[in-house]
Amino acid sequence: MDWLEEKIEGLSRYIRNLSFRKAMIAYILTLAAVVFLISYLTMVLCWQMEAQEWAKYEECDLLEMIYWKESFFGVDYRFEKRTNITDKLRLLQFVRMWCPYFYAFAGMIVTICIFYRKRLALPLKILENSVERIRENDLDFHVHYDSEDELGSLCDSVEDMRLELVRGKEEMWRLVERQKELNAAFAHDLRTPLTVLRGYTDFLARYIPEGKISEEKMGDTLALMSSHLKRLEDYSRTMKGIRSIDEVPFSPEWVGIRSIERKIGEVVFALNQVGDVKISYEGGFGGNDNGLRIKADDNIIMEVLENLLSNGIRYARREIEVLSDYDGERMEFLLTVRDDGRGFLDEQLEKALEPYHKEYESAETDEHFGIGLHICREFCKKHGGTINVANSIKGGAVVTASFFASIFGENSIDP
C-alpha cells in the first residue's frame, strides 16, 4: 500500500506541476474519452431497449405504421401514426441520436469547473490575499503555492517582491533609526563641551574681577576655550555631512601620552568649575611617560571621555574618579570613569550599552537620551577597542573604555 500511495502521490505531483497548456490538453483528451465512452454505452443501451420493444410488438399492423432507413446514428424510424409504442421508440431514438452532444456540452462545463477548482482557485486566492495585504502595508506573511506551473511562478515572483519590499522597509527603518541615533548623539555630545566652555567662562568671570588671574593664565585659558570651540565647529561640520555614527571619521595620528593626559586634565578642570560633583583625575604615567607616543585618534578618545563624564555627573553623588593608563602588552589606551552613585542594576548591566536605554527612567528629572554609553561603544569599536560596564566594590558604576593604539617608541620626543 505504501508503494501504491507513493506512486499515486508522484502522479498527482506530476499532474499538478504541468503547465497550463499541457494540463488543458490533458483535460480535453480526458473529456473526449469519457464523452465517447458514455455516449457509446448510452447508444448501445438504447439499441437494446428498442430491440426489447420490437420483440413485444411484432404485429403486422404495427409494422405497417413504421418504416425505417439507415442514418449516421443507425436506424432512423418514421411513424405514420402516434401510439404509446411509437412515443417510447421516439424517445429512445432521440436519446440515442443526441446524447453525444449533451454529454460533450455537460462535460465541458464540468471540466472547466474542475480545472478552475484544481488549478486556478487556490493560487488566485493566494495572489488576491497577498495583493490585499501588500496594499494594506502588511508584509508579515509568506506567499507559497506548491506547484511549478505558471501561477506557481507568479506566486514565487510575488514572494520575491514581498521580500524586496520587506528589505526596503527594513533599510528605510534602519536609516531612520540611524538618523535618529545620529541626531541624539549630536545633541548628547554637545552637552559636555558646552559645559566645559561654561566652566572656563565661570572661572574667568569669578577670578578676573578679583585680579587673581595673571595675563599668562588668562591667555592659556582663552586658548583652551578657542581650541574647544574649534573642536565643536569641526564636530558640527562632521556630523552635518554623515548619515550615521558608523561614518564618523577615524583619523589616528602619532600623539603623545602626555598630550592626551593634558587634554583630559583640561576637561576635568573646566568641569570642576561648574556643578557640585568633584572630579579627580590620575594619569597612569603621572608625567613620567618618557615621551611615549601612540597612534590614536585623540578626538575619539575625548568624545568617549566627555560622554562618560556626562553620564557620571548625572548619577554621581559627590565625586567622580577618572583614570587613564596604557597597556603595553595589549597595546591599548585605557580610560576609566568611576562615580559614587547607585551603580547599575544587575539585570540592567547587559542592556546598559544598548541605544536609548535609561537605567533609572522613572527617576530622571533632566532630559536624557539614553544613548551615551552606546555612542562610547561605537567609538571604541571604531578605534579597535571595547567598553565594559560594572559596579565598583566601593559602590557606584565603573566604565572602562579601551582603544587600540600601537607604540611609536619609548624614547621618541613628545610633540
Side-chain angles (χ1 to χ4, degrees):
M1 291 299 294
D2 293 340
W3 177 85
L4 181 61
E5 293 177 357
E6 183 180 351
K7 291 297 183 181
I8 294 175
E9 178 64 24
L11 179 61
S12 176
R13 189 183 306 109
Y14 173 77
I15 296 174
R16 187 169 59 248
N17 293 331
L18 286 175
S19 65
F20 280 168
R21 181 172 60 183
K22 293 180 179 180
M24 184 60 71
I25 292 174
Y27 274 75
I28 292 175
L29 292 178
T30 302
L31 167 67
V34 172
V35 169
F36 176 81
L37 178 62
I38 297 178
S39 299
Y40 175 76
L41 294 176
T42 302
M43 294 173 70
V44 170
L45 179 61
C46 290
W47 283 329
Q48 291 177 352
M49 294 179 64
E50 289 178 23
Q52 292 176 1
E53 291 299 321
W54 286 113
K56 293 179 182 178
Y57 305 98
E58 294 181 353
E59 292 81 358
C60 295
D61 56 347
L62 179 62
L63 294 177
E64 293 176 355
M65 298 181 345
I66 305 173
Y67 65 92
W68 55 86
K69 65 179 180 177
E70 298 292 334
S71 69
F72 178 76
F73 297 100
V75 179
D76 187 12
Y77 300 101
R78 296 292 184 268
F79 302 94
E80 296 294 335
K81 292 183 180 181
R82 180 177 179 180
T83 64
N84 292 335
I85 300 175
T86 61
D87 289 342
K88 191 171 183 179
L89 291 174
R90 285 176 185 275
L91 177 60
L92 291 173
Q93 178 187 355
F94 176 82
V95 171
R96 175 170 48 81
M97 293 178 61
W98 293 99
C99 67
Y101 300 100
F102 173 78
Y103 289 149
F105 179 75
M108 285 189 293
I109 296 177
V110 173
T111 301
I112 292 173
C113 293
I114 294 176
F115 184 82
Y116 178 82
R117 184 169 65 87
K118 293 290 187 181
R119 302 300 301 268
L120 299 178
L122 179 58
L124 288 178
K125 184 177 180 181
I126 292 174
L127 292 172
E128 182 181 1
N129 292 337
S130 301
V131 172
E132 184 64 26
R133 296 186 69 170
I134 291 175
R135 184 185 297 114
E136 295 174 357
N137 206 24
D138 177 16
L139 301 178
D140 188 17
F141 66 97
H142 179 64
V143 183
H144 176 69
Y145 176 57
D146 188 17
S147 176
E148 298 178 3
D149 59 10
E150 289 84 346
L151 285 179
S153 300
L154 182 58
C155 288
D156 292 339
S157 300
V158 173
E159 173 65 11
D160 292 339
M161 180 184 68
R162 184 192 70 85
L163 292 176
E164 286 298 323
L165 289 174
V166 170
R167 280 190 287 267
K169 285 186 174 293
E170 288 177 347
E171 179 66 18
M172 183 181 300
W173 177 86
R174 187 176 63 84
L175 291 175
V176 170
E177 285 297 310
R178 293 178 108 185
Q179 188 62 47
K180 179 181 175 183
E181 182 180 287
L182 185 65
N183 294 338
F186 181 69
H188 188 280
D189 287 355
L190 286 179
R191 289 184 172 187
T192 303
L194 291 175
T195 304
V196 170
L197 291 173
R198 192 180 74 178
Y200 282 122
T201 303
D202 292 347
F203 172 74
L204 294 176
R206 184 183 304 119
Y207 294 109
I208 286 179
E210 300 177 3
K212 296 181 179 181
I213 301 179
S214 64
E215 292 184 2
E216 182 180 359
K217 180 65 175 177
M218 185 184 302
D220 292 341
T221 303
L222 291 175
L224 290 175
M225 294 177 66
S226 178
S227 65
H228 278 280
L229 284 172
K230 183 179 183 304
R231 194 162 72 86
L232 276 177
E233 290 176 358
D234 294 340
Y235 180 72
S236 300
R237 192 179 302 110
T238 299
M239 297 297 280
K240 181 180 179 181
I242 64 177
R243 294 171 296 179
S244 68
I245 296 178
D246 297 337
E247 297 180 7
V248 173
F250 172 57
S251 304
E253 297 178 351
W254 292 110
V255 59
I257 291 287
R258 189 181 306 166
S259 175
I260 297 177
E261 289 183 343
R262 185 172 62 247
K263 290 182 179 181
I264 295 175
E266 293 168 357
V267 172
V268 170
F269 172 80
L271 292 178
N272 276 326
Q273 306 306 312
V274 294
D276 300 327
V277 178
K278 177 64 177 178
I279 304 175
S280 61
Y281 169 59
E282 180 179 349
F285 292 92
N288 299 319
D289 55 4
N290 296 323
L292 179 65
R293 290 197 294 175
I294 58 176
K295 193 167 188 179
D297 189 337
D298 55 350
N299 288 324
I300 286 183
I301 294 176
M302 296 307 297
E303 289 292 339
V304 172
L305 171 67
E306 292 170 359
N307 274 287
L308 295 182
L309 286 175
S310 177
N311 283 348
I313 292 172
R314 182 175 297 108
Y315 297 115
R317 293 188 177 95
R318 291 182 299 275
E319 64 177 2
I320 295 176
E321 292 182 49
V322 180
L323 304 173
S324 65
D325 200 355
Y326 183 77
D327 187 344
E329 294 183 0
R330 303 179 63 179
M331 290 193 294
E332 288 183 340
F333 181 78
L334 303 176
L335 189 63
T336 301
V337 175
R338 186 188 72 82
D339 62 65
D340 60 349
R342 294 167 290 185
F344 295 100
L345 299 176
D346 292 339
E347 62 272 16
Q348 298 292 334
L349 281 173
E350 295 182 359
K351 299 180 181 180
L353 300 178
E354 296 179 0
Y356 312 111
H357 171 70
K358 298 182 180 181
E359 183 78 13
Y360 303 101
E361 186 171 1
S362 59
E364 288 293 336
T365 57
D366 62 339
E367 184 181 359
H368 174 34
F369 295 101
I371 198 174
L373 291 178
H374 173 68
I375 297 173
C376 293
R377 181 179 67 175
E378 295 302 313
F379 284 161
C380 289
K381 187 187 303 182
K382 185 179 291 290
H383 212 300
T386 59
I387 185 169
N388 296 309
V389 296
N391 288 321
S392 172
I393 58 176
K394 299 178 182 179
V398 179
V399 182
T400 301
S402 65
F403 309 87
F404 177 79
S406 56
I407 303 175
F408 179 75
E410 295 183 356
N411 299 322
S412 61
I413 299 175
D414 189 10

